[in-house]
Amino acid sequence: EPTDTMVWQAALDAGLRPESFLLWNIFPFHPHPATNPLANRTPQEAELAAGLIFARRIIDMYRPPLIFAIGRKAQQMLAQGGIPSVALRHPANGGATEFRRGFQQAIQ
């Protein structure tokens, strides 16, 4: 997926080792239109709320020192769950440069 590729590339370009971080979607499943399982769609509010349950479990298990919320949906859900995070621009739809810039600033 293009977003995953961009996020991985930013982390690797920053010199992070792959085993030093965890990537997790706020909705960890594949939302798609009912008629096209190979397409993507934005997760619905109920799906995002369900995803927050999984995110909280992952956070409780790993206790990460820093959490990035990539995109408004992730940031809003984490905030609603009382989970502090660093908000970054989602790289899709023309946001790649701003995402990379924000990521670089956040890890320094």
Side-chain angles (χ1 to χ4, degrees):
E1 181 174 77
T3 295
D4 292 336
T5 299
M6 206 167 301
V7 173
W8 269 101
Q9 194 62 57
L12 297 175
D13 288 349
L16 299 178
R17 295 186 334 269
E19 67 275 6
S20 70
F21 61 92
L22 173 70
L23 299 176
W24 190 263
N25 290 337
I26 194 64
F27 182 65
F29 305 106
H30 177 69
H32 60 81
T35 58
N36 188 356
L38 299 179
N40 287 328
R41 66 165 169 74
T42 300
Q44 299 167 356
E45 291 300 317
E47 293 168 332
L48 292 169
L52 184 59
I53 294 167
F54 290 95
R56 188 178 305 283
R57 287 182 182 170
I58 291 289
I59 291 165
D60 287 346
M61 282 192 309
Y62 289 97
R63 303 275 181 209
L66 186 59
I67 298 172
F68 294 114
I70 301 174
R72 284 180 294 186
K73 294 282 186 188
Q75 193 278 326
Q76 289 168 353
M77 290 311 299
L78 290 171
Q80 284 178 20
I83 300 167
S85 65
V86 175
L88 297 175
R89 167 70 159 86
H90 196 286
N93 301 316
T97 300
E98 191 176 334
F99 163 75
R100 283 192 293 272
R101 187 176 324 119
F103 183 79
Q104 284 293 328
Q105 290 173 349
I107 63 169
Q108 294 179 352

